[in-house]
Amino acid sequence: MALLEVKVPDIGDFKEVEIIELLVKPGDTVKAEQSLITVESDKASMEIPSSHAGVVKELKVKVGDKVAEGSLVLMIEVEGSGLLAATRTASEAGGAPVDVLVPDIGDFDEVTVIEVMVKVGDTIQVEQSLITVESDKASMEIPSSHAGAVIEVKVKVGDKVRKGSLVAVVQASGASAAAPAAAAASAPGAAVASVPAPVPATAVAKALPTAALPAHEPSAPKGMLPHASPKIRKLARELGVPLGELNGSGPKARITQADVQGFVKSVMAGATQTRAQAAKAPDAAASGGTFPGLLAWPKVDFSKFGPVERKGMSRIKKISGANLHRNWVLIPHVTNHDDADITDLEAFRVSTNKENERPGAAGIKVTMLAFLIKACMAALKKFPEFNASIDGDQIVFKQYFHIGFAADTPNGLMVPVIKDADKKGIFQISQEMGELAKKARDGKLSPAEMSGGCFSISSLGGIGGRYFTPIINAPEVAILGVCKSSMEPVWDANLNGGAFQPRLMLPLSLSWDHRVIDGAAAARFNAYLGQILGDFRHVLL
Ligand code: CAO
C-alpha cells in the first residue's frame, strides 16, 4: 500500500483550466484510466484520468478551482497500478480541398469507427470532431484540422482506421489558411491515445485532452462515468441532463447527441421525469410546481408584512391540486360560454318538488343538477367526441355514460361519479347525487365511486357567479361549468311588435380539449344543451 499524489499532467498549451466537475469522492475505488475530474478552458474540456487503480483518500480540489500542469488533484492509496503515457500529434494538412487524415493515435495500430459525426455538406470548424473511434482500451474523437465544407466522408461506422487513414475531404473555407496554425496552437484538440506504463514513485496523471476519453462500460457502475464522449457530456452539462439516467443508443450503448436531445424533449413533454424531479414531486405539487425555463415560485416571508398562520394542505387538496395542475398544463383548454333559458324547467322542478313533499310521496328533492346531467347525457349521445378520451395516438369513444359532478367538501374538491346515467331517471339521479355528495362531505367516498367518469359537471349554481373556466378532468375531454341562474330581460321578437320578456337564464361554461373537439362542435354542443334545457321534449326527437 502506498499513498500517492495524482497531479494534473501536461495539458498542452493550456496554462490554467477550471474544474467543472468532480467525478470521484473520497472512499471511491477507481480504476487506472478512470476519469477523476473534468476541466475546461475557453477552447475545450478534458478529463483528467487516474494513473493508478486504488482508493481515493483525499480530494485536493473543488469545482471552480483553477488548475495547471502539476496541480495536486487528489491522494490515492494504491496496491499496484499503471501509469499513463500520452502522446499527441495534429494533422495539419493544408490547401483546399484538403484530406483530413487520422493523426498519430499513439500505440494503437488499428481502431474501429463507432460514430460518424459529420455528413457531406456540413460546414465544420477546426477541431470539430469528425468521427469517434474505439480500441479495446479507449475511445477517442478525431477532430478536423481544417475549417470548411465537408465534400466527402471516406469512412463509415464499423470501418477500421489507423494513423494516416483518410477520414474526409474538406473544402477549406476562407479561414482555412489559418487552420493548420490553429490546429497546431490547440494541439490538445488532436487525437490522443493513452497506454498503461510502469508506475513511478510519484503518480502523475496524463490528460486525455479535449476529445479523447477513457473507455467506459455502457452500464457504468456508480461513481463511474456513463459511456459518452466529452462533447456529449459537455452538452449534457449545459442542458442539465443527468447522463447516468440515459440509455445510450450508440455502439456499445454509447450515449449520442440524439439520445441527449431525445431525453430533453421527453422531459419537456412530461413523458419522462428525471430522478431529481421525481424526488421533488411532492413539493412541486404543494407549491404549484416548477417548470424548466420559468422563474421559481416566489419565496416570501409573509410575516414581514403582518401576522400569519400556517396550515398544512389537506391530503385531498394536495392530490386534487396535482391533478388539476397537470390537466391545466397538458390539455389545450378552450371554454365556450352560453346561456340556457330554464324558465319552464325550473317551474317544472319546483312543482315536482312540491308534489313530492305531499304525504305519501317519495320525498326525493329534484335538483337542477339532475336535469343538467340528463341533458348532458343527450348531448353526449349526439356528439360522441365529448364522450371520449385520448389514448396515445388513438381516441377512445365510450359507449357508456358515467357523469362526474364536482362536490365541494370541507377537505377540498371531490368528483363522485353517477354511473350509467343514461339508464337512470331524474329521481334516481337526484337521490344518488345527494348520497354521493354526503359521502364526499363525510370523507367516505370509495375510489370506485370516483372512477370511470366520461364527462364532468361543476355546478356553482347554489353559490353564485356568472361564468368561469372549469378545468377538464383528465382523461375526460370536456367539462360543463354551471353558475347561478338569474331572471333577465330577453328580447322576444315573436311577441306583438317584439318585447322583452323576463326569463330565467342559466349561464353555461363548457371547457373542451382542442385536441379532440373543435370550436364548431363545442358551440353546437352548447346550443343543443340550451335547446334541451329550454324544452326537455327535444330529448325525444
Ligand atoms: N342557479 C340558481 N340556483 C341554483 C342553481 C343554479 N344553477 N343550482 C342550484 N341552485 C339552488 C338550488 O336550487 C338550491 O336551492 P333550494 O335549496 O332553494 O332548492 C341551492 O341552490 C343549493 O343547491 P346545492 O348546491 O346544495 O345543490 P345542487 O344540487 O345544486 O349541487 C353539489 C350539489 C354537490 C354539486 C353542490 O353542493 C356543490 O358542492 N357545488 C360546488 C361544486 C364546486 O365546488 N365546483 C367547483 C369546482 S372547481 O373548483
Side-chain angles (χ1 to χ4, degrees):
M1 288 270 190
L3 198 61
L4 300 176
E5 291 179 329
V6 177
K7 291 180 176 174
V8 174
D10 176 2
I11 46 174
D13 291 341
F14 299 106
K15 294 242 148 39
E16 216 180 40
V17 284
E18 186 177 332
I19 297 178
I20 56 167
E21 204 176 4
L22 299 177
L23 306 168
V24 293
K25 58 182 185 326
D28 282 356
T29 301
V30 296
K31 293 184 176 162
E33 288 194 42
Q34 182 175 332
S35 295
L36 303 175
I37 57 174
T38 309
V39 294
E40 196 166 52
S41 73
D42 56 339
K43 287 200 182 61
S45 68
M46 60 196 96
E47 289 165 13
I48 307 294
S50 181
S51 49
H52 294 77
V55 177
V56 175
K57 291 316 257 184
E58 198 186 344
L59 270 171
K60 295 289 192 184
V61 289
K62 59 183 186 320
V63 170
D65 281 358
K66 303 262 191 217
V67 290
E69 181 184 348
S71 298
L72 181 58
V73 177
L74 54 79
M75 304 300 294
I76 192 165
E77 194 169 60
V78 296
E79 282 184 32
S81 58
L83 174 72
L84 304 177
T87 56
R88 63 170 187 270
T89 63
S91 168
E92 296 183 20
V98 289
D99 289 347
V100 178
L101 308 177
V102 174
D104 182 356
I105 47 173
D107 289 346
F108 298 108
D109 273 340
E110 211 176 48
V111 286
T112 308
V113 177
I114 58 165
E115 199 177 1
V116 178
M117 294 142 126
V118 292
K119 58 182 184 326
V120 171
D122 281 358
T123 301
I124 57 167
Q125 307 297 322
V126 175
E127 285 192 38
Q128 184 174 331
S129 296
L130 301 177
I131 57 171
T132 308
V133 294
E134 195 167 54
S135 73
D136 55 346
K137 290 199 179 59
S139 64
M140 60 199 94
E141 289 171 14
I142 306 294
S144 179
S145 48
H146 290 74
V150 177
I151 303 171
E152 267 184 280
V153 177
K154 295 289 198 180
V155 291
K156 59 182 187 316
V157 170
D159 283 356
K160 302 270 187 207
V161 293
R162 55 175 63 224
K163 180 184 171 189
S165 297
L166 180 58
V167 177
V169 182
V170 172
Q171 182 80 49
S173 66
S176 65
S186 55
V192 176
S194 65
V195 292
V199 189
T202 302
V204 178
K206 287 289 177 188
L208 300 173
T210 309
L213 80 162
H216 296 288
E217 290 307 313
S219 53
K222 206 167 178 282
M224 289 190 71
L225 288 172
H227 196 48
S229 70
K231 189 183 99 178
I232 298 304
R233 267 192 245 125
K234 186 163 184 281
L235 174 71
R237 265 197 309 278
E238 283 165 3
L239 297 174
V241 171
L243 276 186
E245 295 176 31
L246 269 70
N247 291 322
S249 66
K252 296 190 183 174
R254 189 182 177 80
I255 296 169
T256 64
Q257 185 166 338
D259 293 332
V260 173
Q261 287 165 339
F263 185 84
V264 170
K265 278 186 195 160
S266 182
V267 169
M268 293 302 286
T272 303
Q273 256 197 339
T274 63
R275 279 182 212 140
Q277 283 174 325
K280 275 190 197 157
D283 277 358
S287 68
T290 53
F291 284 93
L294 283 192
L295 291 177
W297 193 256
K299 272 257 171 228
V300 178
D301 177 6
F302 299 102
S303 62
K304 275 201 318 204
F305 305 105
V308 294
E309 186 195 1
R310 282 181 181 271
K311 284 184 183 170
M313 264 198 206
S314 74
R315 199 180 62 85
I316 290 171
K317 248 197 163 37
K318 276 189 202 165
I319 295 169
S320 65
N323 276 288
L324 288 163
H325 191 181
R326 178 204 53 207
N327 300 347
W328 178 248
V329 169
L330 293 185
I331 301 173
H333 282 72
V334 184
T335 306
N336 284 28
H337 302 289
D338 212 334
D339 296 313
D341 184 336
I342 57 163
T343 317
D344 297 340
L345 183 60
E346 177 62 2
F348 175 66
R349 189 186 75 86
V350 171
S351 67
T352 305
N353 280 339
K354 275 205 178 121
E355 278 171 30
N356 246 341
E357 282 166 9
R358 286 190 194 145
I364 298 168
K365 185 182 169 189
V366 171
T367 65
M368 181 52 70
L369 195 48
F371 284 107
L372 282 163
I373 288 175
K374 213 62 196 161
C376 284
M377 279 290 323
L380 290 177
K381 280 194 169 165
K382 194 173 171 71
F383 302 97
E385 66 265 46
F386 287 77
N387 196 35
S389 283
I390 292 180
D391 186 11
D393 58 1
Q394 292 191 324
I395 299 177
V396 180
F397 292 91
K398 292 157 209 164
Q399 285 157 13
Y400 54 87
F401 299 87
H402 304 335
I403 310 291
F405 64 95
D408 182 30
T409 81
N411 288 323
L413 177 67
M414 306 203 77
V415 187
V417 175
I418 307 262
K419 301 273 164 53
D420 296 314
D422 55 325
K423 299 182 182 131
K424 293 173 182 167
I426 295 287
F427 283 124
Q428 193 179 351
I429 292 176
S430 296
Q431 191 173 13
E432 263 188 45
M433 237 178 49
E435 287 163 8
L436 287 170
K438 182 172 183 322
K439 274 191 175 180
R441 283 191 285 270
D442 296 345
K444 290 188 176 147
L445 273 182
S446 71
E449 286 166 323
M450 291 185 281
S451 57
C454 307
F455 178 89
S456 296
I457 302 181
S458 174
S459 172
L460 295 172
I463 304 165
R466 282 299 276 181
Y467 304 98
F468 67 115
T469 52
I471 297 177
I472 296 165
N473 190 16
E476 296 164 21
V477 292
I479 180 169
L480 181 72
V482 183
C483 281
K484 195 175 177 66
S485 57
S486 57
M487 208 47 106
E488 288 174 25
V490 176
W491 185 251
D492 186 348
N494 294 327
L495 269 189
N496 263 350
F500 282 105
Q501 294 287 327
R503 305 296 295 176
L504 188 62
M505 303 304 288
L506 179 70
L508 305 174
S509 303
L510 179 74
S511 291
W512 40 279
D513 184 336
H514 212 332
R515 293 172 299 176
V516 178
I517 295 160
D518 56 36
R524 285 189 196 107
F525 186 97
N526 262 354
Y528 183 61
L529 209 53
Q531 262 186 334
I532 296 170
L533 293 170
D535 186 344
F536 246 79
R537 287 174 298 184
H538 283 281
V539 174
L540 305 171
L541 297 177

